[in-house]
Amino acid sequence: MSKLLWQKQGVAIDADIQAFLAGDDVILDREFIAYDIRASRAHAEGLQRIGILTREELDGITRELDVLADDVASGAFVLDARWEDMHSAIEDRLTERLGDAGKKIHTGRSRNDQVLVATRLWLKDRLDEVATLCIAVAGIALERAQAERDLPMPGYTHLQRAVVSSAGMWWAGWAEAFIDNAQRARATRDWVDANPLGTAAGYGVNLPLDRDHTTAALGFARMQVSPLYAQLSRGKFELAALESLGSAMLDLRRIAWDLSLFTSAEFSFVSLPAQYTTGSSIMPNKRNPDVIELMRAAYASVAAAKVEIEQLMSLPSGYHRDLQFGKGGLVHGFLRGLGALRLLPALLQALEWKPARMRAALEPSMYATDLAVDLARQGMPFRDAYREAANPQRWAEGDPSASLAARVSPGGAGNDGLQILQERLADLASRAG
Ligand code: ARG
């Protein structure tokens, strides 16, 4: 490891202890270093504005940070255990290339606010992607809801055949769910859109830091004013972001569940292109829906990250190193969650129904509710109508299209309100991400 920023003369560094402190953390910092570089640039600009750096020093720092950012992007620079963390690596590079100007970059900042700001910028980008993907999913679901309005299928409760439903109603459910999920991701993005840079170790510094400048330069909507609160928000904002992602993932998990049932031979309502299945190593006859299953499983990583971070947050106020251990879960949770979510639009687009099988799963009992409500509409007290319609002798092969067309309660197949969802989606999509 290169020299530690805080190394004291006469105090030996123990390799095992150092590996425990920094080991996987510096590797995880690969996710965040581009953001730390951006924030370093804004911090340097702020320092120049209050006379800590000269114009020339700032120009040198900006230039070297740009070069470092390019090197990180191209792979020419790889963050590893030579450094304790990304913060040390950035300062090291600037000092090596610029001498004193590099040694000045840390004036008025702490790794405590550096890690906060880098994570914050990372979260904003991730939440933007969650929102964009949710909007894409909702768009496809809504389009298919319109196109497949009249495709009948069974509606289940308790996984028992209940009433006639339609592919359109199935799609509309996911369309509205993902509009809400997109809205939640946007709202969370706005909630975490606060700049912690300039709060230093958590207590401010004896310099008139230009925090308005760094807030604007980094594209934050507001400044996190209280340095103590900036520290208190570590973990809390990560949790909110995971909750937001989790809300989309909960729906994704249920889509995956439906599809794993619907693609089974027992249901056989849906077929998926072969690339969504894999073969078995022993059973030559098998095509397994592994993609859907891993998509379903991805929620577990999001849930695990939430639990881990929540556990780590049982702390007094102020910075504590404990919180470093939240990074792994956060990165892993988003990796798995976004990985699954990214596959969803194309999967939904590719899904093909098997109308004959869906139709064959409709049975006379599934019109009993229609009958009870019909009788009640004609004036019979509903409880009597219910008893009448419970008599299997009253059940007959029905017309699924007529049943669907008659479902005129708002949101029902005969009055599906897709226009309302269309407007909500258009409104969401038109607002800048
Ligand atoms: N890797 C550290 C973290 O994630 C960076 C901040 C270190 N700060 C400190 N005071 N040791 O928390």
Side-chain angles (χ1 to χ4, degrees):
M1 187 173 296
S2 69
K3 197 163 131 5
L4 296 160
L5 293 174
W6 42 267
Q7 206 162 327
K8 294 208 177 22
Q9 235 167 14
V11 181
I13 298 295
D14 180 279
D16 289 344
I17 293 175
Q18 205 42 50
F20 176 68
L21 282 168
D24 65 341
D25 186 62
V26 65
I27 304 303
L28 285 165
D29 274 351
R30 289 174 183 170
E31 268 294 313
F32 301 95
I33 188 169
Y35 298 98
D36 200 7
I37 293 170
R38 252 173 73 193
S40 296
R41 204 180 289 129
H43 178 67
E45 287 163 9
L47 290 180
Q48 187 269 328
R49 293 165 77 91
I50 59 168
I52 300 288
L53 295 175
T54 65
R55 184 77 238 175
E56 294 66 45
E57 287 170 330
L58 173 62
D59 288 347
I61 288 173
T62 305
R63 188 187 64 241
E64 287 305 330
L65 287 173
D66 287 346
V67 173
L68 181 56
D70 288 347
D71 286 352
V72 166
S74 72
F77 175 87
V78 179
L79 187 61
D80 59 28
R82 282 173 290 168
W83 294 277
E84 184 181 23
D85 50 38
M86 60 181 165
H87 320 298
S88 314
I90 294 170
E91 184 171 328
D92 215 32
R93 162 74 84 111
L94 292 177
T95 304
E96 173 199 310
R97 301 269 170 105
L98 302 166
D100 281 354
K103 288 198 270 174
K104 290 184 181 180
I105 181 79
H106 210 57
T107 315
R109 79 173 178 183
S110 157
R111 287 181 296 170
N112 298 357
D113 63 338
Q114 265 187 283
V115 66
L116 273 176
V117 70
T119 311
R120 197 65 52 84
L121 292 166
W122 185 91
L123 283 180
K124 283 177 57 181
D125 278 359
R126 300 285 116 23
L127 287 167
D128 275 337
E129 189 177 358
V130 173
T132 303
L133 288 167
C134 289
I135 288 171
V137 169
I140 290 163
L142 201 50
E143 221 168 83
R144 294 200 66 168
Q146 261 141 9
E148 288 155 19
R149 269 193 165 115
D150 304 322
L151 180 57
M153 70 185 280
Y156 298 91
T157 72
H158 315 265
L159 269 185
Q160 307 294 316
R161 289 174 181 174
V163 294
V164 177
S165 183
S166 66
M169 288 194 79
W170 190 84
W171 284 118
W174 304 122
E176 189 165 355
F178 278 87
I179 289 171
D180 275 2
N181 295 332
Q183 228 150 24
R184 187 167 183 190
R186 284 274 176 83
T188 307
R189 199 273 316 264
D190 293 348
W191 197 62
V192 305
D193 197 3
N195 180 21
L197 181 62
T199 57
Y203 298 93
V205 283
N206 44 337
L207 280 174
L209 293 177
D210 193 343
R211 298 196 62 206
D212 287 327
H213 174 77
T214 60
T215 300
L218 292 170
F220 282 110
R222 65 187 192 281
M223 186 198 294
Q224 243 178 338
V225 179
S226 156
L228 263 111
Y229 179 56
Q231 288 304 321
L232 288 171
S233 65
R234 186 166 180 194
K236 179 174 158 180
F237 282 16
E238 285 82 336
L239 265 186
L242 285 162
E243 283 286 348
S244 231
L245 170 67
S247 128
M249 296 303 295
L250 281 173
D251 289 317
L252 180 149
R253 184 165 71 173
R254 299 184 76 174
I255 293 179
W257 245 124
D258 271 9
L259 294 182
S260 78
L261 288 173
F262 291 171
T263 52
S264 71
E266 278 65 20
F267 279 84
S268 202
F269 290 171
V270 161
S271 70
L272 288 173
Q275 71 254 33
Y276 289 103
T277 60
T278 65
S280 156
S281 62
I282 179 173
M283 298 169 284
N285 55 319
K286 294 297 299 290
R287 290 308 299 178
N288 300 320
D290 296 31
V291 179
I292 291 168
E293 289 167 349
L294 286 180
M295 288 172 83
R296 182 169 63 194
Y299 182 76
S301 304
V302 178
K306 284 197 294 184
V307 171
E308 189 173 23
I309 291 173
E310 207 169 21
Q311 289 301 318
L312 290 169
M313 283 172 65
S314 175
L315 292 168
S317 64
Y319 174 82
H320 304 274
R321 191 70 176 265
D322 307 51
L323 292 165
Q324 170 178 295
F325 275 178
K327 259 187 215 167
L330 180 70
V331 169
H332 189 63
F334 267 93
L335 180 88
R336 286 269 166 87
L338 279 172
L341 211 49
R342 283 186 199 121
L343 290 185
L344 192 57
L347 172 74
L348 295 182
Q349 195 86 71
L351 172 171
E352 274 180 45
W353 298 106
K354 295 182 177 169
R357 289 283 309 207
M358 290 148 78
R359 182 83 182 225
L362 300 175
E363 54 185 46
S365 68
M366 298 173 82
Y367 299 90
T369 307
D370 286 347
L371 175 60
V373 174
D374 265 341
L375 293 172
R377 195 177 33 198
Q378 286 155 30
M380 191 184 286
F382 179 76
R383 198 45 62 207
D384 297 336
Y386 174 94
R387 251 178 241 115
E388 181 78 26
N391 179 0
Q393 278 168 357
R394 301 273 326 229
W395 300 347
E397 205 58 65
D399 173 4
S401 298
S403 171
L404 289 170
R407 206 85 52 79
V408 292
S409 58
N415 182 12
D416 57 20
L418 295 185
Q419 192 48 43
I420 302 170
L421 298 184
Q422 190 60 62
E423 281 159 21
R424 281 188 210 161
L425 180 59
D427 182 50
L428 251 182
S430 73
R431 272 184 278 139

